Amino acid sequence: MNHYILVIFDSCRYDTLMKANPKTIAKLGTIEQRWSYASWTSPSHYNLLTGLLPHTNPQNVFASEYYKNDFLKFSDRLGVEGIEFKSFIPKLYFPAFLKEKLGYQTHAMVSLPVLNPKTILNHGFDSYTLMDKHNDMRAIVRRMKFPGDRPSFHLLNVGESHYPYALPDEPAEEWPRISGVHGVFKHLDDQVVGGKLLKKASKFFDEKKLKMLRDRQVRAVKYLDSVVAELFDIVPKNTYITITADHGELFGEGGYFGHGPIFHKKVFEVPFVEGKLR
Ligand SMILES: [Zn+2]
């Protein structure tokens, strides 16, 4: 059986990741444009933990047919033959399936407070940790363990790609602030980062700042690519890795910023790549 790692770059839009041109991440396979089932962190992570990863937006196909095929991919991911939708019944919850039916150790390390261990999402995990910093994937990688006797599943929620797209060594007082957005940035912990940009409050939202923010997300992904290299170095062979995002992010398109209470194509647009290194 394979170890399986599901890496979620929080808020990382597909085109952001492509612009960062991440050479290490690309070693896993072709980076696809996919679509998240939800526009913000909590429901999206719940959905991922049901086993449904971001979808391909297929046309002329019944949802049930798509789900059925999507679940078959877990045979590759886990190196276990015969996994199908029925295997997940009745809980429809991936960590519980791994733990109870396949004997996996299950671990989550999350960066965003909205996913903290008191939430329902901790269900089915042997360990579930909210990291001290919201933006330090390297600290996550350094804590990972792969015991030899049992396969393990790791859910990694990574926050460098989340607003304010700060690298771990960047002092908080240097993080960007933009005005004219509902004041949501004062409450990073609330995770409700998004909404219509208020033209009135800021005369007109500052396109230069939005571009700067978008560039910061690209920079964050470039940095994360180097941390992924460290992850690749420590994983045992027989490790299957999926890298994707929980939702996208808006940088002024349609008059929106961020994610959450937004209905826009870009808030669902996420990268998806997976494979086995060796
Ligand atoms: Zn998120």
Side-chain angles (χ1 to χ4, degrees), residues 179-180 197-207 210 252 255:
S179 60
L197 293 154
L198 298 178
K199 288 185 189 177
K200 225 176 167 184
S202 60
K203 280 191 191 150
F204 193 73
F205 66 81
D206 187 337
E207 282 183 29
L210 287 164

Side-chain angles (χ1 to χ4, degrees), residues 2-268:
N2 296 330
H3 297 285
Y4 179 51
I5 305 174
L6 177 57
V7 184
I8 312 299
F9 286 174
D10 208 294
S11 316
C12 181
R13 218 160 90 164
Y14 168 76
D15 52 4
T16 293
L17 188 122
M18 296 312 277
K19 203 169 173 202
N21 191 19
K23 300 264 188 318
T24 304
I25 290 167
K27 286 180 186 166
L28 285 175
T30 308
I31 301 168
E32 296 174 50
Q33 178 188 36
R34 289 212 185 184
W35 308 96
S36 65
Y37 285 85
S39 69
W40 71 287
T41 309
S42 294
S44 187
H45 277 74
Y46 175 75
N47 201 86
L48 291 161
L49 290 174
T50 66
L52 285 173
L53 300 184
H55 62 80
T56 59
N57 197 23
Q59 288 175 302
N60 304 314
V61 159
F62 289 119
S64 56
E65 207 49 39
Y66 179 82
Y67 297 151
K68 223 163 81 187
N69 284 321
D70 206 30
F71 277 104
L72 293 178
K73 292 184 192 133
F74 279 106
S75 284
D76 283 343
R77 292 179 185 129
L78 304 177
V80 177
E81 275 185 37
I83 297 180
E84 53 182 339
F85 178 66
K86 277 190 237 154
S87 318
F88 288 65
I89 289 173
K91 283 197 178 174
L92 303 178
Y93 195 66
F94 184 55
F97 163 74
L98 289 174
K99 199 170 140 69
E100 293 163 13
K101 296 200 179 170
L102 298 180
Y104 270 70
Q105 297 201 18
T106 53
H107 303 288
M109 280 187 265
V110 300
S111 302
L112 277 294
V114 74
L115 301 175
N116 75 73
K118 301 282 187 202
T119 64
I120 197 82
L121 292 166
N122 75 5
H123 180 70
F125 286 99
D126 293 312
S127 75
Y128 190 108
T129 308
L130 174 65
M131 301 301 290
D132 294 336
K133 288 173 82 167
H134 86 278
N135 61 341
D136 195 355
M137 182 182 176
R138 177 168 287 132
I140 292 178
V141 170
R142 290 191 175 156
R143 285 175 72 153
M144 292 179 80
K145 290 196 181 75
F146 299 90
D149 56 332
R150 280 201 283 162
S152 52
F153 165 60
H154 299 264
L155 170 75
L156 312 182
N157 164 262
V158 171
E160 282 92 330
S161 45
H162 188 282
Y163 175 84
Y165 328 104
L167 304 190
D169 60 354
E170 187 177 8
E173 54 274 17
E174 287 173 25
W175 294 353
R177 302 276 180 274
I178 68 171
S179 60
V181 180
H182 287 296
V184 288
F185 299 145
K186 279 185 283 182
H187 305 289
L188 180 62
D189 282 357
D190 297 346
Q191 300 308 313
V192 185
V193 179
K196 269 279 192 201
L197 293 154
L198 298 178
K199 288 185 189 177
K200 225 176 167 184
S202 60
K203 280 191 191 150
F204 193 73
F205 66 81
D206 187 337
E207 282 183 29
K208 230 169 89 184
K209 270 193 178 157
L210 287 164
K211 186 186 175 307
M212 175 272 287
L213 290 166
R214 204 180 153 195
D215 290 346
R216 282 175 65 85
Q217 194 181 49
V218 173
R219 182 191 69 154
V221 173
K222 277 185 205 277
Y223 164 78
L224 287 172
D225 196 45
S226 70
V227 184
V228 167
E230 293 172 29
L231 172 68
F232 287 179
D233 283 344
I234 62 154
V235 299
K237 62 177 190 172
N238 293 332
T239 299
Y240 195 101
I241 302 174
T242 303
I243 299 178
T244 185
D246 54 345
H247 49 77
E249 189 84 323
L250 272 294
F251 294 102
E253 298 91 345
Y256 295 101
F257 175 79
H259 56 268
I262 291 172
F263 186 81
H264 190 286
K265 188 179 168 182
K266 290 285 182 191
V267 84
F268 297 100

